[in-house]
Amino acid sequence: MRKLKNSELDRLSVEDFKDTKKTPLIIVLDNIRSLNNIGSVFRTSDAFLIEKIYLCGITATPPHKDIHKTALGSTETVAWEHAEHTLDVVEKLQAENVKVLSIEQAEHATMLDTFSPEADTTYALVFGNEVKGVAQDVVSKSDMVIEIPQFGTKHSLNISVSAGVVIWDVFSKMKALN
């Protein structure tokens, strides 16, 4: 087995990426403090053709060298917007018939492995602050809370890891519906 060269990966150009049909997934970052985490979410969002990222509250915005360090140019491909308040974004998306899913540990949460997305539905995945998680008012307003099952002693994942796990899982399940 031979590793592929970058030239063999059949990558989209920035223009082709922007013209490509997107996955009906929106990412909402609720007060993320680490610029490296923000960049990682951009990179993962590029990989799975995410529709848009909302950067809320204290979440920094591009251009910034520490975001760029992990985003590797994906801030130029993935659509994004800054909003002062996460709850305003949640309410706006719900008014547009987007189902909002907070990724959090909460009472009556649905475990990620048992979550089944509906066909022809756009979902917004809300990821929270590295210390405080998703704000309670956002969790309360969400259509559903999704929890990543964890079996060790910490029951805590870095936000960029959580985003990778959840985006891949939901993307895979949505792709299987088509």
Side-chain angles (χ1 to χ4, degrees), residues 3-172:
K3 286 175 42 176
L4 296 175
K5 297 175 185 173
N6 282 344
S7 61
E8 297 175 287
L9 295 178
D10 196 29
R11 293 181 180 179
L12 295 175
S13 68
V14 172
E15 296 77 26
D16 289 341
F17 182 95
K18 290 181 178 184
D19 291 338
T20 298
K21 184 178 189 294
K22 302 298 183 288
T23 305
L25 281 174
I26 297 165
I27 306 302
V28 180
L29 298 182
D30 180 25
N31 291 295
I32 304 303
R33 62 184 185 173
S34 165
L35 290 96
N36 290 326
N37 284 337
I38 297 164
S40 292
V41 171
F42 266 97
R43 198 157 142 197
T44 300
S45 296
D46 175 279
F48 298 107
L49 296 170
I50 297 304
E51 208 171 283
K52 186 171 188 173
I53 299 174
Y54 284 93
L55 307 167
C56 303
I58 66 166
T59 307
T61 61
H64 192 287
K65 67 179 177 68
D66 288 333
I67 294 174
H68 180 74
K69 184 170 139 182
T70 50
L72 296 179
S74 57
T75 57
E76 303 302 316
T77 55
V78 180
W80 63 271
E81 181 179 330
H82 182 266
E84 191 62 34
H85 302 288
T86 308
L87 195 57
D88 292 343
V89 171
V90 167
E91 291 172 346
K92 171 188 174 291
L93 292 171
Q94 287 173 325
E96 296 169 359
N97 294 317
V98 173
K99 291 203 174 180
V100 176
L101 313 177
S102 282
I103 311 306
E104 190 55 84
Q105 296 163 325
E107 294 175 328
H108 311 295
T110 299
M111 292 298 158
L112 179 61
D113 57 331
T114 65
F115 170 69
S116 297
E118 299 171 14
D120 303 316
T121 302
T122 300
Y123 291 93
L125 306 174
V126 183
F127 296 93
N129 176 274
E130 291 88 343
V131 175
K132 298 178 181 179
V134 178
Q136 182 60 57
D137 60 346
V138 174
V139 170
S140 296
K141 185 71 176 173
S142 296
D143 297 300
M144 181 181 277
V145 176
I146 301 292
E147 183 176 337
I148 301 169
Q150 297 173 58
F151 307 99
T153 62
K154 299 301 174 209
H155 290 264
S156 172
L157 295 170
N158 177 284
I159 184 266
S160 65
V161 173
S162 294
V165 167
V166 175
I167 292 169
W168 165 250
D169 185 83
V170 176
F171 171 87
S172 298

